[in-house]
Amino acid sequence: MSKLSQKHLLGIKNITREDIELIFETADNFKEVINRPVKKVPSLRDVTIANVFFENSTRTRLSFELAQKRLSADVINFSASNSSVKKGETLLDTVNNILAMKVDMIVMRHASPGAPHYLAKHIKANIVNAGDGTHEHPTQALLDAFSIREKLGSVAGKKIAIIGDILHSRVALSNIFALQKLGAKVMVCGPPTLLPKFISQLGVEVELDVRKALQWCDVANVLRIQLERQQIKYFPSLREYSLYYGINKKLLDSLKKQIVIMHPGPINRGVELSSDAADSQHSIILDQVENGVAVRMAVLYLLAGATA
């Protein structure tokens, strides 16, 4: 198997465990590439990729663009804030105009859940979902699971706690799907108001006490409070959230075991994570950033149908 089972990467729910393992094996090779003096390979030299972002992004967009350039692809960047979308152009018209310039692949972030799935029904180019509303963020989940595999040797059988704003997070859902497909046990933890009503139906454990969650898990993936997606107040204040759900070095040191701390970024330091926890020996946050480039290189390479 040298290609993914799907033409697009729309979400983790759509791909198989074999797809994930193939992405990881390919990312292992690309991680060697990006750590050598000459960091580029000609794998996608004849491929043109458009990064079409309808929402603001820093890390994800930079990571994708760097991955594309490491593969020698031609890259164009589209920002909705400076485009004809502001004049009323539809999503499909916007993308079709981009594709008319002989673009081969679209990497898209959109505020509306299901936007890349809609596009996939109407265009021929490969689509990579870089985040659709509060739905999924598949490459983030892949790099998170890849980082766990790298740190602990395997994902299977590990206990992973996802802590924070589960309700508004696209990272949480993709992580749940990816980790379960790889054989991990998953727990979600947060205030009751930030947990989806039927979250337990996804086969995850639910915990309201952050200390109990940390005592249970091998890895804590800590999520940011998504204030920009909240239309009402879900808790009294950030100070109170930090008091009951914030993780600091003192709390980590009080546990009877070592656990791994992860965060998809950006970190609200002093809210979900203190600086002494984010920068401690428990943390693999910067490893996640590095692994993100290798994993996204692997996804783009495999979707393009390149052969090793």
Side-chain angles (χ1 to χ4, degrees):
M1 180 176 168
S2 61
K3 290 201 291 187
L4 299 179
S5 65
Q6 305 285 318
K7 180 183 176 181
H8 312 288
L9 180 61
L10 303 178
I12 301 298
K13 188 175 183 179
N14 304 88
I15 63 175
T16 65
R17 177 175 180 150
E18 289 72 29
D19 287 329
I20 296 173
E21 290 173 346
L22 177 61
I23 290 168
F24 287 177
E25 290 166 12
T26 309
D28 285 331
N29 295 326
F30 284 132
K31 188 157 185 189
E32 292 179 17
V33 169
I34 63 178
N35 281 292
R36 67 190 191 190
V38 179
K39 298 177 176 64
K40 292 186 74 170
V41 289
S43 305
L44 300 186
R45 186 171 49 200
D46 300 321
V47 175
T48 302
I49 304 174
N51 296 314
V52 182
F53 279 62
F54 292 87
E55 277 190 318
N56 293 332
S57 171
T58 302
R59 292 163 320 288
T60 300
R61 184 167 181 165
L62 285 176
S63 183
F64 267 113
E65 186 172 351
L66 190 55
Q68 292 151 6
K69 290 180 176 179
R70 294 281 188 252
L71 291 166
S72 302
D74 292 319
V75 181
I76 59 173
N77 290 308
F78 169 93
S79 175
S81 60
N82 301 315
S83 75
S84 294
V85 171
K86 292 291 185 180
K87 302 174 185 177
E89 188 174 59
T90 67
L91 169 63
L92 188 56
D93 281 343
T94 298
V95 173
N96 275 330
N97 274 284
I98 292 170
L99 294 178
M101 302 177 204
K102 306 307 178 187
V103 169
D104 304 294
M105 190 179 300
I106 298 288
V107 176
M108 188 176 82
R109 170 167 288 190
H110 201 282
S112 299
H117 301 72
Y118 166 77
L119 266 191
K121 295 176 181 177
H122 294 88
I123 68 173
K124 294 181 178 180
N126 305 95
I127 300 172
V128 180
N129 180 6
D132 60 328
T134 57
H135 183 220
E136 279 216 53
H137 191 352
T139 56
Q140 182 67 49
L142 289 168
L143 74 89
D144 288 347
F146 182 85
S147 300
I148 294 169
R149 167 183 173 267
E150 181 180 68
K151 179 70 175 179
L152 301 181
S154 171
V155 178
K158 301 300 185 291
K159 297 177 179 179
I160 319 297
I162 304 173
I163 300 171
D165 185 356
I166 312 297
L167 183 65
H168 300 97
S169 174
R170 51 190 165 213
V171 173
L173 188 59
S174 286
N175 262 273
I176 289 169
F177 290 146
L179 293 168
Q180 288 178 337
K181 286 184 178 185
L182 293 169
K185 298 176 182 176
V186 184
M187 172 185 286
V188 296
C189 175
T193 53
L194 291 178
L195 296 176
K197 189 173 181 181
F198 302 108
I199 188 70
S200 60
Q201 293 183 9
L202 293 178
V204 301
E205 296 189 42
V206 179
E207 178 58 65
L208 302 180
D209 187 319
V210 71
R211 177 179 287 275
K212 290 181 180 178
L214 294 175
Q215 289 171 337
W216 174 86
C217 72
D218 301 306
V219 178
N221 198 347
V222 186
L223 304 180
R224 177 175 64 89
I225 298 297
Q226 307 264 325
L227 292 174
E228 72 277 12
R229 299 187 190 281
Q230 297 180 12
Q231 305 303 316
I232 61 173
K233 293 199 72 167
Y234 288 85
F235 47 85
S237 67
L238 288 177
R239 183 177 180 276
E240 183 155 331
Y241 179 88
S242 178
L243 182 65
Y244 286 98
Y245 289 94
I247 297 172
N248 54 45
K249 186 69 161 47
K250 182 179 179 181
L251 176 56
L252 294 174
D253 289 342
S254 71
L255 304 175
K256 296 179 181 179
K257 60 178 183 179
Q258 287 272 344
I259 66 168
V260 177
I261 294 292
M262 305 176 69
H263 196 299
I267 303 170
N268 286 323
R269 289 178 181 257
V271 181
E272 69 269 10
L273 270 181
S274 65
S275 288
D276 58 6
D279 301 329
S280 70
Q281 75 277 10
H282 297 271
S283 170
I284 60 167
I285 294 170
L286 292 181
D287 296 323
Q288 289 174 263
V289 177
E290 178 183 349
N291 289 336
V293 177
V295 166
R296 288 174 174 125
M297 287 175 74
V299 168
L300 296 168
Y301 173 82
L302 291 166
L303 284 179
T307 54

